[in-house]
C-alpha cells in the first residue's frame, strides 16, 4: 500500500541541530555492521501536545528526499517498525535492523553500467491514527534522523542508515563545495557490505559500524520559531522577514509588504511594555486577512478581553441587525433587562453594526468578511474588568432602551465562539427524529488517534440502523490534522483522490512543490445521500473536508454562510515572541492540482442550500440549518446552487450567494489613540473604544 508524498509527511517539523555520534573503535565494529539503532527525539512544536496523538517509529526509505522526488511513496513491504519509550513530544526509540531490507536501490558512483545497489534510510517518528501500529497510507513521518535546510529542503546533516548487498559500492563522503548532500560535487567513499550508519555531522562523513549505533531523531519542518529572547525590534524584524518570504497568499490578498513594514516598524520602536508590543503585533496580523493568523497574549487578555456584561452571543443577520442571542443570568445585561431577541442599536454612542465592524481582532485575524464579523461579534462587548460600556437596544415589541453597564470577569462570549471545537467529544452521532443519521465532528485536532475509529463506528451504527441519509455537522470545526480529515472523508469516496498540491517558500523568492494531500479510502464505505453543515468557523482541515465532498458532487453543503475559507498549512508557522506572545502564521499553500489556483482561502466553500439568517431564525429554538438539510435530503433535493427555500417570514428566496470578494488590506496612517492608550498609560482603567476603532482601521 502506498503512502502520501514526503513533504506532507513532515508536516509541522523542523531541524534541531544535535551533536554527531562518536567515531567507533575497532573493537566495537562488526563484520555485518549495526544490528540495532537507538536514540532520543524531542519536538518543540506547540501544536503536538494538544492533539492526543499516539506515536510510532520506523525505518523510513529516504529515496524520495535523496532524489528530490516529493511524490515518492515507499512500498508497504519496506516498513520496519521500532519501539518508543515516550510520547509525541519526547522520548527514546529503538529499531532492530533486518538482515536484508526492502527499499529503492540508488546508485552514487555515476557508472551507468553498474546496477543501483545502495538503500538509504532514516529513523523517523510518525503519528498513528488509522487503527493499527503500522504507518498506513495517509500516516506520515513527523521527525527524521536527517537535518534539512529550511525552505530549500536540502539535506545538510544528521544520520542516514545505508545497506548494500556487497562491498565496494560508492556513497557520498562529504557535502562538496555546495554544502549539500547527494549532489554531483560530493566526494565518495567505499561502503562495506551490510548495514552502516553514516554521520553527516562531520566533514568528511563518519562511517559507524558498531553493533548498536545511537543518534537522535531531530526536528526538521515545524519547530517552534523562538524569538522570545530578542528585543521588540529584533523580534519584529525577524518575524517580518520570515513572514514576507513564507506567507503563501500574498498575491491573492494584494499584500504590500513594504507598506506593512513602514506602518508597523515605527510603532514597534515606540513600544515600552509587552502589552504595547503585543497590541502592535495584533495590528500586524490584522493587515493580513487570514483566520489562521492567531495570537495568545496574556497581557492583551488581561487588559482588554477578560471583562464582559453577560451577553454570551451576538449574531449579525442578513439585514445587518446585531441580535442578542444569549444572555447569562445574574449578569449586568440581564439586570438592566436585555434579553435574547433584543437588537443592539448603539454601542458607546456609535451604531451597533459600525461598532462591531470597528472591533479589532485581538485573538485572530480573519480570511473572509463573514468570518471577520463572527469573530468581531465575539469580542465587541469585551473590555477591561471594571470598565463600562453604554448600550442602546430595541426589544421585539419595538421599545428602545439604554443603559450603561459595568464589565465584570466574563469570557463566556469568547468560549462560545472558540470553544466548540475544544470542548466535548470530537465525534458524536445519533438518529434524528426525521429518521436521518446525524454525525457531528467537532474538530480534527482532538484525540486524533481515536477519532477516526470513532467516526467509522458511528457511521457503521447508522448504516446498520438503515438510515435513508446522513447529515454531517462540521459547524465550528476549525480544523486540525488534515490527514485525519481526509481519512474521514474517505468513507464517502469511490477511490483515492489527489485533492490538493502543497507549495512552500523555497528560499529563492518563489514557492516550490513539496507534496500533496489526498482523500483516503476508508471503511465502512457509505454511498447514500449526504449533507454537510457549515458556518463561519468551519475552516482549515474542515474547509478541505467539505470541499472534498462537494467538488465531486458527493454531498450537499448547507449553511447560512460559506465555510471559513482559511486553508494555509500552519505547521512551520509557530512563533514565540517577547513577553510570551505565541503566534501562528501559515506557510503552506494548498492549490488545485489541475489549475494551480489556491484552494478555498479567502472565499470558503459556498453552500448549495443557503439558509437565510433572519431575526426569526436567530432566536428560533429550532436548528433551521439542520432542518434545511433534512428537507433537502428527504425531498430528494440534490441540486446544486439555486435550491429554493422558504424563510421564516414566508418569503421565497433564491439561495445563491454572490461571489465573495477578498478582504483587501487597507493601509492607513498609524492612529495616535492606540499609542495614547498603550504608552501614555491613562489612569485608572483605559477605555477600549479608541483602541478598538483604531486597530481595525
Amino acid at each position: 500500500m502506498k503512502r502520501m508524498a514526503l513533504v506532507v509527511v513532515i508536516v509541522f517539523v523542523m531541524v534541531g541541530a544535535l551533536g554527531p555520534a562518536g567515531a567507533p573503535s575497532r573493537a566495537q565494529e562488526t563484520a555485518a555492521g549495526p544490528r540495532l539503532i537507538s536514540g532520543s527525539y524531542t519536538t518543540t512544536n506547540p501544536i503536538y501536545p494538544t492533539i492526543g496523538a499516539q506515536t510510532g517509529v520506523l525505518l523510513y526509505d529516504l529515496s524520495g528526499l535523496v532524489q528530490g522526488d516529493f511524490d515518492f511513496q515507499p512500498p508497504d513491504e519496506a516498513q520496519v517498525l521500532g519501539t518508543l519509550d515516550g510520547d509525541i513530544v519526547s522520548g527514546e526509540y529503538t529499531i532492530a535492523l533486518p538482515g536484508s531490507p526492502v527499499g529503492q536501490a540508488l546508485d552514487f558512483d555515476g557508472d551507468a553500467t553498474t546496477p543501483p545497489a545502495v538503500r538509504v534510510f532514516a529513523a523517523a517518528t510518525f503519528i498513528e491514527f488509522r487503527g493499527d501500529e503500522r504507518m498506513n497510507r495517509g500516516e506520515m513521518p513527523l521527525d527524521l534522523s536527517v537535518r534539512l535546510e529550511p525552505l530549500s529542503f536540502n539535506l545538510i546533516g544528521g544520520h542516514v542508515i545505508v545497506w548494500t548487498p556487497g562491498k565496494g559500492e560508492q556513497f557520498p563522503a562529504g557535502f562538496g563545495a555546495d554544502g549539500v548532500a547527494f549532489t554531483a560535487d560530493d566526494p565518495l567513499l567505499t561502503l562495506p557490505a551490510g548495514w552502516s550508519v553514516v554521520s553527516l555531522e562531520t566533514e568528511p562523513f563518519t562511517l559507524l559500524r558498531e553493533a548498536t549505533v545511537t543518534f537522535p531523531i531531530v526536528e526538521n519542518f515545524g519547530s517552534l520559531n523562538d524569538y522570545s529572547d530578542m528585543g521588540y525590534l529584533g523580534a519584529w524584524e525577524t518575524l517580518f522577514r520570515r513572514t514576507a518570504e513564507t506567507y503563501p497568499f500574498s498575491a491573492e490578498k494584494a499584500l504590500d509588504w513594504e507598506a506593512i513594514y513602514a506602518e508597523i516598524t515605527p510603532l514597534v520602536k515606540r513600544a515600552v511594555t509587552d502589552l504595547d508590543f503585543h497590541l502592535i503585533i495584533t495590528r500586524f496580523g490584522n493587515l493580513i486577512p487570514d483566520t489562521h493568523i492567531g495570537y495568545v497574549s496574556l497581557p492583551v487578555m488581561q487588559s482588554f478581553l477578560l471583562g464582559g456584561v453577560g451577553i454570551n452571543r451576538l449574531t449579525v443577520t442578513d439585514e445587518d441587525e446585531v441580535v442578542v442571542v444569549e444572555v447569562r443570568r445574574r449578569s449586568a445585561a440581564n439586570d438592566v433587562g436585555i434579553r435574547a431577541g433584543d437588537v443592539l442599536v448603539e454601542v458607546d454612542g456609535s451604531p451597533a453594526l459600525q461598532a462591531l465592524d470597528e472591533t479589532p481582532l485581538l485573538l485572530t485575524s480573519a480570511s473572509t468578511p463573514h468570518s471577520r464579523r463572527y469573530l468581531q461579534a465575539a469580542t465587541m462587548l469585551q473590555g477591561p474588568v471594571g470598565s463600562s460600556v453604554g448600550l442602546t437596544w430595541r426589544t421585539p415589541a419595538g421599545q428602545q432602551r439604554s443603559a450603561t453597564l459595568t464589565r465584570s470577569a466574563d469570557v463566556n462570549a469568547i468560549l462560545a465562539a472558540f470553544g466548540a471545537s475544544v470542548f466535548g467529544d470530537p465525534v458524536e452521532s445519533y438518529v434524528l427524529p426525521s429518521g436521518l443519521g446525524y454525525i457531528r465532528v467537532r474538530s480534527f485536532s482532538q484525540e486524533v488517534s481515536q477519532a477516526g475509529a470513532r467516526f467509522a463506528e458511528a457511521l457503521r451504527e447508522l448504516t446498520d440502523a438503515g438510515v435513508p441519509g446522513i447529515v454531517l455537522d462540521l459547524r465550528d470545526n476549525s480544523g486540525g490534522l488534515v490527514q485525519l480529515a481526509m481519512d474521514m472523508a474517505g468513507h464517502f469516496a469511490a477511490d483515492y483522490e489527489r485533492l490538493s498540491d502543497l507549495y512552500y517558500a523555497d528560499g529563492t523568492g518563489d514557492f516550490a512543490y513539496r507534496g500533496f494531500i489526498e482523500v483516503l479510502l476508508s471503511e465502512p464505505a457509505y454511498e447514500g445521500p449526504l449533507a454537510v453543515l457549515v458556518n463561519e468557523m468551519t475552516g482549515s482541515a474542515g474547509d478541505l473536508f467539505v470541499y472534498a465532498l462537494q467538488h465531486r458532487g458527493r454531498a450537499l453543503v448547507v449553511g447560512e454562510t460559506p465555510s471559513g475559507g482559511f486553508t494555509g498549512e500552519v505547521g512551520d508557522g509557530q512563533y514565540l515572541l517577547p513577553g510570551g506572545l505565541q503566534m501562528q502564521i501559515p506557510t503552506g499553500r494548498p492549490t488545485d492540482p489541475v489549475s494551480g489556483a489556491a484552494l478555498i482561502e479567502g472565499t470558503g466553500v459556498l453552500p448549495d442550500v443557503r439558509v437565510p439568517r433572519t431575526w426569526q431564525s436567530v432566536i428560533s429554538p429550532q436548528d433551521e440549518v439542520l432542518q434545511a438539510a433534512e428537507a433537502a435530503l428527504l425531498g430528494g433535493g440534490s441540486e446544486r446552487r439555486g435550491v429554493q427555500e422558504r424563510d421564516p417570514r414566508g418569503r421565497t428566496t433564491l439561495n445563491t450567494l454572490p461571489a465573495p470578494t477578498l478582504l483587501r488590506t487597507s493601509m492607513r496612517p498609524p492612529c495616535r489613540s492606540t499609542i495614547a492608550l498603550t504608552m501614555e498609560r491613562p489612569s485608572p482603567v483605559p477605555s477600549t473604544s479608541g483602541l478598538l476603532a483604531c486597530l481595525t482601521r
Side-chain angles (χ1 to χ4, degrees), residues 122-187:
T125 55
F126 66 97
I127 293 176
E128 200 287 302
F129 65 90
R130 298 209 74 195
D132 58 29
E133 295 180 353
R134 298 180 63 79
M135 192 179 81
N136 300 289
R137 182 168 179 169
E139 295 171 340
M140 60 215 57
L142 184 64
D143 295 333
L144 299 166
S145 61
V146 294
R147 294 194 294 113
L148 306 179
E149 183 179 49
L151 305 183
S152 72
F153 271 51
N154 291 328
L155 209 157
I156 59 170
H159 295 77
V160 295
I161 307 99
V162 300
W163 181 88
T164 180
K167 64 181 179 180
E169 291 294 331
Q170 300 293 294
F171 191 77
F175 293 114
D178 64 5
V180 176
F182 306 114
T183 56
D185 70 344
D186 293 350

Side-chain angles (χ1 to χ4, degrees), residues 49-370:
T50 69
I51 64 175
Q54 296 173 3
T55 312
V57 66
L58 82 164
L59 196 65
Y60 184 76
D61 189 338
L62 210 58
S63 302
L65 185 59
V66 170
Q67 300 174 101
D69 178 6
F70 294 106
D71 283 341
F72 176 76
Q73 299 174 334
D76 221 24
E77 58 270 20
Q79 192 167 130
V80 177
L81 296 173
T83 59
L84 286 179
D85 181 12
D87 55 24
I88 194 171
V89 175
S90 63
E92 306 287 331
Y93 78 91
T94 302
I95 302 174
L97 301 177
S100 178
V102 175
Q104 181 172 334
L106 302 176
D107 192 5
F108 297 97
D109 61 11
D111 184 353
T113 64
T114 60
V118 182
R119 291 172 171 82
V120 185
F121 302 88
T125 55
F126 66 97
I127 293 176
E128 200 287 302
F129 65 90
R130 298 209 74 195
D132 58 29
E133 295 180 353
R134 298 180 63 79
M135 192 179 81
N136 300 289
R137 182 168 179 169
E139 295 171 340
M140 60 215 57
L142 184 64
D143 295 333
L144 299 166
S145 61
V146 294
R147 294 194 294 113
L148 306 179
E149 183 179 49
L151 305 183
S152 72
F153 271 51
N154 291 328
L155 209 157
I156 59 170
H159 295 77
V160 295
I161 307 99
V162 300
W163 181 88
T164 180
K167 64 181 179 180
E169 291 294 331
Q170 300 293 294
F171 191 77
F175 293 114
D178 64 5
V180 176
F182 306 114
T183 56
D185 70 344
D186 293 350
L188 298 176
L189 59 80
T190 300
L191 289 173
W195 288 103
S196 300
V197 172
V198 182
S199 170
L200 312 184
E201 295 293 298
T202 62
E203 184 73 30
F205 298 160
T206 303
L207 202 64
L208 306 175
R209 298 275 292 170
E210 306 103 315
T212 299
V213 181
T214 299
F215 53 88
I217 293 174
V218 298
E219 285 188 287
N220 280 284
F221 182 82
S223 64
L224 178 67
N225 298 284
D226 189 348
Y227 310 151
S228 59
D229 289 338
M230 299 180 181
Y232 298 145
L233 184 60
W236 153 245
E237 292 191 331
T238 305
L239 174 70
F240 174 81
R241 285 193 299 270
R242 189 174 196 271
T243 303
E245 181 176 22
T246 62
Y247 183 70
F249 305 111
S250 295
E252 286 82 0
K253 301 186 179 186
L255 298 179
D256 185 337
W257 290 107
E258 291 184 2
I260 292 174
Y261 182 82
E263 174 171 342
I264 299 300
T265 304
L267 299 178
V268 174
K269 289 179 178 179
R270 297 177 63 180
V272 176
T273 68
D274 290 342
L275 177 60
D276 301 340
F277 180 66
H278 294 185
L279 285 171
I280 293 163
I281 294 300
T282 66
R283 171 60 180 161
F284 166 58
N286 270 253
L287 295 176
I288 309 172
D290 191 319
T291 310
H292 263 146
I293 295 178
Y295 342 89
V296 178
S297 165
L298 186 58
V300 170
M301 286 291 295
Q302 290 175 332
S303 298
F304 298 108
L305 295 173
L306 294 186
V309 296
I311 296 178
N312 292 350
R313 194 152 63 92
L314 295 169
T315 296
V316 181
T317 68
D318 293 348
E319 291 80 19
D320 287 340
E321 294 178 322
V322 182
V323 181
V324 176
V325 179
E326 182 181 341
V327 180
R328 182 169 54 88
R329 288 187 177 183
R330 298 174 184 169
S331 66
N334 184 77
D335 290 346
V336 299
I338 298 176
R339 299 291 183 265
D342 290 347
V343 176
L344 288 188
V345 177
E346 291 184 353
V347 178
D348 283 333
S350 297
L353 188 64
Q354 176 185 329
L356 186 144
D357 287 338
E358 291 178 348
T359 299
L361 298 178
L362 300 179
L363 297 171
T364 174
S365 186
S367 294
T368 61
H370 53 280

Side-chain angles (χ1 to χ4, degrees), residues 313 315-325 340-343 394-397 560 611-625 627 646-651 653:
R313 194 152 63 92
T315 296
V316 181
T317 68
D318 293 348
E319 291 80 19
D320 287 340
E321 294 178 322
V322 182
V323 181
V324 176
V325 179
D342 290 347
V343 176
R394 185 178 67 248
T395 71
E560 296 174 321
V611 180
R613 180 176 281 170
T614 66
W615 179 84
Q616 288 91 340
S617 68
V618 164
I619 67 167
S620 171
Q622 306 300 318
D623 186 339
E624 298 201 1
V625 175
Q627 289 180 338
R646 189 166 297 275
D647 79 9
R649 292 178 179 171
R651 298 174 300 183
T653 58

Side-chain angles (χ1 to χ4, degrees), residues 403-579:
T404 298
L405 290 73
T406 300
R407 295 182 177 97
S408 60
D410 178 8
V411 293
N412 286 290
I414 295 174
L415 292 176
F418 294 95
S421 64
V422 178
F423 303 110
D425 292 336
V427 178
E428 62 176 299
S429 64
Y430 47 85
V431 177
L432 295 163
S434 64
L436 293 169
Y438 173 91
I439 304 177
R440 181 177 185 182
V441 184
R442 292 181 183 273
S443 80
F444 301 110
S445 60
Q446 291 176 267
E447 303 177 37
V448 299
S449 291
Q450 292 80 38
R454 292 168 67 175
F455 186 88
E457 180 183 3
L459 185 60
R460 186 175 289 108
E461 289 175 350
L462 292 176
T463 53
D464 288 348
V467 297
I470 292 176
V471 177
L472 301 176
D473 194 343
L474 270 289
R475 289 174 294 183
D476 299 316
N477 183 324
S478 56
L481 190 67
V482 68
Q483 292 81 15
L484 175 59
M486 295 302 98
D487 175 70
M488 292 186 186
H491 292 281
F492 313 102
D495 201 352
Y496 292 96
E497 179 189 358
R498 187 168 180 146
L499 189 70
S500 76
D501 291 345
L502 282 174
Y503 285 78
Y504 292 82
D506 62 4
T508 70
D510 203 354
F511 280 72
Y513 174 72
R514 293 290 187 251
F516 62 91
I517 296 169
E518 66 174 341
V519 177
L520 306 166
L521 276 185
S522 304
E523 296 292 337
Y526 177 76
E527 299 177 353
L530 195 64
V532 185
L533 311 185
V534 302
N535 69 358
E536 301 93 328
M537 290 302 285
T538 305
S540 193
D543 268 316
L544 290 169
F545 176 92
V546 177
Y547 174 77
L549 297 184
Q550 187 200 56
H551 89 293
R552 291 296 187 191
R554 180 62 190 88
L556 201 65
V557 176
V558 183
E560 296 174 321
T561 70
S563 63
F566 47 104
T567 55
E569 197 278 314
V570 300
D572 198 35
Q574 305 298 314
Y575 301 89
L576 183 62
L577 302 175

